[in-house]
């Protein structure tokens, strides 16, 4: 099973019930979640390298507003450690940081030194007068296709008609050059609202994806960060799966291989599978019908080896 290090703001957790992302990660996405605030942020260092290394570090909305948290992640020791973590295949998702934009934005420079980006100019506080958003379909199409279908209308409705926080965005990440990042989501002026580093598994969002419960998009981003082009698809029918099939899936989880199940009796499922194969996010397809009860350990090892 994949492990997510979730860094949150203790003050926000005490004041607002909707800000805790733990349930989303554990129940909706089904990943293991290790929680951090300023009280134990130093312990995060123990989960970046080696057998305990997490698959992704998620900096929740306003988590970097806490002075103790921000001081630690900007320390030379942590920056060096996090660079090694990213170089060895780790990933990180940084969500909306309004107070950091107010504090660091005036001075300019990269507010996230631990990701090693050289072309970030500043994080700026803005008013979202531009109401249009554009999904980037060049090299970021999978973020809106797998495992969930997410449209621009879905994002706008969730942002503007939200019971927790009603807003589209309040910050923008500015760049000296854009050759270090590609857009995942842009506004009508072409400014980046969600950005992905080209050579590292890093995504930065101006949208309040967690507190506004953009659950499907957040799940997509996490999964595409962790397994950018190596998902497994199962085509099954409506039969009750046998113990062998369940054991097979559990073994894949233990090997940290992500899979999604498609029903051969549902036309939309098969069409979505075809699209995901075409865009390259799924590279292994297993067809399991009546024979799914006969999956053996040999089959498991072969799948893992081929994958």
């Amino acid at each position: 099973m994949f492990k997510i290090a979730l860094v949150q703001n203790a003050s926000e957790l005490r004041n607002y019930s909707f800000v805790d992302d733990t349930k989303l990660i554990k129940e909706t996405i089904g990943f293991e979640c290790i929680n951090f605030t300023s009280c134990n942020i130093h312990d995060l260092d123990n989960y970046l390298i080696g057998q305990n290394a997490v698959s992704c570090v998620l900096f929740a909305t306003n988590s970097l507003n806490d002075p103790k948290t921000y001081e630690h992640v900007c320390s030379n020791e942590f920056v060096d450690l996090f660079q090694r973590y990213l170089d060895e295949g780790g990933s990180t998702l940084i969500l909306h940081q309004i107070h950091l934009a107010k504090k660091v934005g005036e001075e300019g420079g990269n507010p996230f030194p631990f990701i090693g980006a050289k072309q970030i100019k500043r994080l700026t506080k803005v008013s979202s007068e531009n109401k249009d958003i554009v999904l980037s379909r060049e090299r970021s199409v999978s973020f809106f296709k797998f495992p969930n279908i997410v449209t621009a209308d879905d994002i706008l409705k969730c942002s503007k008609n939200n019971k927790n926080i009603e807003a589209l965005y309040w910050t923008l990440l500015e760049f000296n050059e854009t050759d270090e990042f590609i857009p995942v989501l842009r506004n009508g002026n072409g400014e980046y609202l969600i950005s992905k580093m080209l050579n590292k598994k890093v995504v930065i969002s101006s949208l309040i994806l967690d507190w506004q419960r953009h659950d499907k998009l957040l799940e997509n981003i996490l999964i595409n960060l962790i397994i950018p082009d190596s998902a497994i698809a199962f085509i099954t029918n409506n039969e009750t799966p046998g113990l062998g099939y369940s054991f097979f899936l559990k073994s894949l989880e233990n090997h940290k291989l992500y899979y999604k199940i498609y029903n051969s009796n549902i036309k939309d499922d098969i069409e979505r599978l075809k699209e995901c194969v075409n865009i390259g996010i799924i590279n292994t397809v297993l067809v399991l019908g009546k024979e799914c009860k006969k999956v053996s350990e040999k089959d498991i090892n072969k799948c893992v080896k081929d994958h």
Side-chain angles (χ1 to χ4, degrees):
M1 180 183 293
F2 296 104
K3 292 189 293 187
I4 306 295
L6 174 60
V7 182
Q8 299 185 103
N9 187 309
S11 176
E12 303 280 19
L13 288 170
R14 286 192 297 268
N15 293 326
Y16 305 103
S17 60
F18 59 82
V19 305
D20 191 357
D21 300 336
T22 305
K23 184 176 180 180
L24 167 67
I25 294 171
K26 285 185 173 181
E27 298 183 13
T28 303
I29 303 178
F31 291 169
E32 183 180 345
C33 182
I34 305 173
N35 297 80
F36 300 92
T37 65
S38 59
C39 298
N40 66 338
I41 189 62
H42 290 80
D43 294 339
L44 175 59
D45 301 16
N46 300 323
Y47 291 90
L48 298 180
I49 304 298
Q51 293 184 342
N52 290 330
V54 295
S55 302
C56 181
V57 179
L58 170 57
F59 291 95
T61 293
N62 282 350
S63 57
L64 297 175
N65 178 43
D66 190 295
K68 289 184 179 180
T69 296
Y70 192 61
E71 179 182 2
H72 179 69
V73 300
C74 291
S75 66
N76 291 334
E77 294 80 5
F78 184 86
V79 169
D80 291 343
L81 186 63
F82 207 77
Q83 285 299 296
R84 181 183 168 190
Y85 167 71
L86 294 176
D87 290 342
E88 294 183 0
S91 63
T92 188
L93 170 58
I94 304 171
L95 299 182
H96 178 84
Q97 306 292 332
I98 182 64
H99 296 287
L100 193 60
K102 294 177 182 177
K103 177 182 177 182
V104 183
E106 297 177 358
E107 303 171 359
N110 180 8
F112 314 116
F114 48 90
I115 66 172
K118 301 182 184 303
Q119 295 297 339
I120 294 179
K121 184 177 181 180
R122 65 170 60 89
L123 181 66
T124 307
K125 183 181 181 299
V126 297
S127 59
S128 57
E129 296 177 357
N130 192 311
K131 303 300 182 183
D132 296 327
I133 59 173
V134 179
L135 309 184
S136 297
R137 300 188 180 278
E138 299 92 356
R139 286 174 286 182
S140 305
V141 62
S142 60
F143 286 88
F144 307 104
K145 296 291 186 180
F146 185 81
N148 307 295
I149 301 294
V150 178
T151 67
D153 283 342
D154 293 334
I155 298 171
L156 287 172
K157 288 177 183 178
C158 190
S159 298
K160 296 180 179 180
N161 304 311
N162 196 281
K163 64 179 182 179
N164 297 332
I165 297 176
E166 191 171 308
L168 188 53
Y169 59 90
W170 290 319
T171 65
L172 279 177
L173 200 59
E174 297 180 15
F175 304 93
N176 294 311
E177 301 288 343
T178 56
D179 57 349
E180 196 174 30
F181 286 82
I182 58 173
V184 175
L185 186 72
R186 293 175 287 186
N187 63 17
N189 294 330
E191 297 164 315
Y192 292 16
L193 299 180
I194 302 179
S195 314
K196 182 186 181 300
M197 287 190 75
L198 274 171
N199 299 319
K200 295 179 181 178
K201 294 161 70 173
V202 175
V203 170
I204 305 172
S205 173
S206 290
L207 273 65
I208 315 169
L209 297 180
D210 50 351
W211 293 5
Q212 289 183 331
R213 311 319 311 174
H214 293 267
D215 290 358
K216 290 183 178 180
L217 179 56
L218 189 53
E219 180 180 8
N220 283 9
I221 292 174
L222 284 173
I223 288 172
N224 280 276
L225 265 177
I226 295 170
I227 47 104
D229 56 2
S230 56
I232 302 172
F234 286 90
I235 302 177
T236 66
N237 48 33
N238 292 323
E239 294 181 349
T240 302
L243 289 176
Y245 177 62
S246 300
F247 173 69
F248 192 14
L249 298 185
K250 191 64 179 178
S251 297
L252 293 178
E253 291 178 5
N254 292 336
H255 283 88
K256 294 187 177 181
L257 297 175
Y258 183 81
Y259 63 84
K260 185 168 177 61
I261 299 172
Y262 296 87
N263 193 321
S264 60
N265 296 317
I266 302 176
K267 183 178 179 180
D268 287 349
D269 262 21
I270 302 305
E271 292 302 316
R272 287 179 62 186
L273 171 59
K274 290 178 181 178
E275 188 172 18
C276 289
V277 170
N278 289 335
I279 64 177
I281 189 64
I282 290 177
N283 62 11
T284 301
V285 178
L286 301 179
V287 181
L288 295 174
K290 294 180 180 179
E291 299 302 314
C292 68
K293 297 181 181 180
K294 300 180 180 179
V295 176
S296 66
E297 186 174 352
K298 182 179 179 181
D299 296 323
I300 296 171
N301 291 333
K302 184 178 186 304
C303 176
V304 172
K305 181 179 179 180
D306 291 346
H307 192 72

